[in-house]
Amino acid sequence: MFKKSLLSMVSFMLLFSIFLTACSSDKKSENASNEKDNGKDTVELSLWLTPQWKGVLDGSEEGADYDSFFKHAAERFSEEYDEYNVKINVEVIASDQRDEMLNVNLNGGTPPDIFYESVFAMGDYVHRGALVPLNDIVDDEAKSDIAQSYWDTVTFGEDIYFYPYSHMPGTLVYNADMFKDAGLEKYIGSEDEIKTWSLEEYEEILNGLKENTPKDKYSNAFPMGLYALNNQGDTWNLAYLRMFGNEFFDENGNIVLDDENGAKATAWLKKIYDEGLTNPGAESVSSNDVNAMFQNQQLGVSFTNSVLFNNLKADMEGGNVPEFDARLANIPSASGDPLSFTYVTGAAVFDTGDETRMKVSKDFVKFFSSDPELVKSSKNGVPVRTSVADQYKDENPLFAAYDANAEYMFSFTGNVPGYSELRQVLYPELQALYIGEKTPEEVVADYQKKGNDVIEKSKADSVIFNK
């Protein structure tokens, strides 16, 4: 009897063991199916971005947020991609936390796979060797639809490191009502035009604003805004220094401002400042101060970019600032050709050391940067693609004007190493110019020497200059 019970128990334990093994096998199979669906491996990517625009196509969409577009693009990519099952985790990073978070993750060996941001803010990561080239995902169609000047902006050495998606062009902005009141109607362009003036015409405008702007209507107003308090808005100052034809950077990435043309441009800034054609105290005035002065109709001409200009229009409509007729103009030059620059925004891929993740990251970047439907979202900024600018020019006529400006564009950073540190060198020299501490010749010589010291030190650690 006892033997029968023991035999039954042994049989039961054997069956139970087989059952557990089967369950375990089923669990492993289930886990395997999570890793492999229809025979494809799963690849998980991280995408970071700073706040750019809300919604997929428009901020008025229900539930629109800064991650909406990339979540939508990721969903489509996951459905359509053949090689792997792909999961993309999208995270919005505050702009003032970008560098700290990237440096912590880079030092820890866990950078994001993809970062969508302005090239202006990310160039130093190219020189550090943190990003991989994207040449292999750029085709002839993209090169024909996106102007060469944008490709120049995203090219470091011989390689493309960012895929251009949209941009934020910088121009001048002027008060057309003030122009009319000062008798300068002939210099006013249309509402949908970025007006180009010769340098001679621009000087006539500034003198006309000084002499003929009605003081009873525009109290404490000045012709043009200048600022040199800090490094903010320095891009326009860099443009002014090119007004007489100076190239600023040579082919080796060195500053070459210390020549006759650089000194002429610096002397021109000092001249219009001394003649009262600008606001006083430029050495202690910030770009934010100048922007506020223009909004309050205390300047005839100021600086702007596409975002600031749209915000100005929105503030007027919302009653936050007084309404007046604000229009756009190019930065003039002695040659007659306008000076144009922009902040190109696009995606970069970090070198994670994982070849599969980097390949899939590149494929995703190409997907959302070239898909006929997804590229339409670039209208939330200013499209780099001529096809998208043409498609939406009725919705925003300035798109065509911005696109036409591309041929006059210069790369304000020169894609040189150490540009973020280089920004700290310019404004003290401009301050010395405006207070009369240095001559124009001394300013360009000292800026070139100090700036090249920064660049030379940074070149030693640059993968672009040490291939």
Side-chain angles (χ1 to χ4, degrees), residues 306-318:
S306 54
V307 172
L308 288 174
F309 188 63
N310 290 339
N311 290 343
L312 173 62
K313 295 286 191 178
D315 284 342
M316 288 182 184
E317 292 176 6

Side-chain angles (χ1 to χ4, degrees), residues 234-259 261-263 265-266 269 339 410-416 419 422-423 425-426 430 443-444 447-448 451-452 455:
D234 56 331
T235 324
W236 284 263
N237 286 327
L238 293 171
Y240 302 147
L241 293 175
R242 289 170 163 86
M243 290 175 68
F244 286 82
N246 182 272
E247 294 294 327
F248 210 90
F249 295 108
D250 65 14
E251 60 184 11
N252 297 314
N254 298 311
I255 298 171
V256 290
L257 185 63
D258 185 14
D259 67 3
N261 291 330
T266 311
L269 287 173
L339 288 163
F410 63 89
S411 173
F412 62 90
T413 70
N415 289 346
V416 299
Y419 182 75
L422 185 61
R423 297 182 70 201
V425 178
L426 178 61
L430 292 177
V443 167
V444 294
Y447 172 72
Q448 178 169 308
N452 281 336
I455 294 172

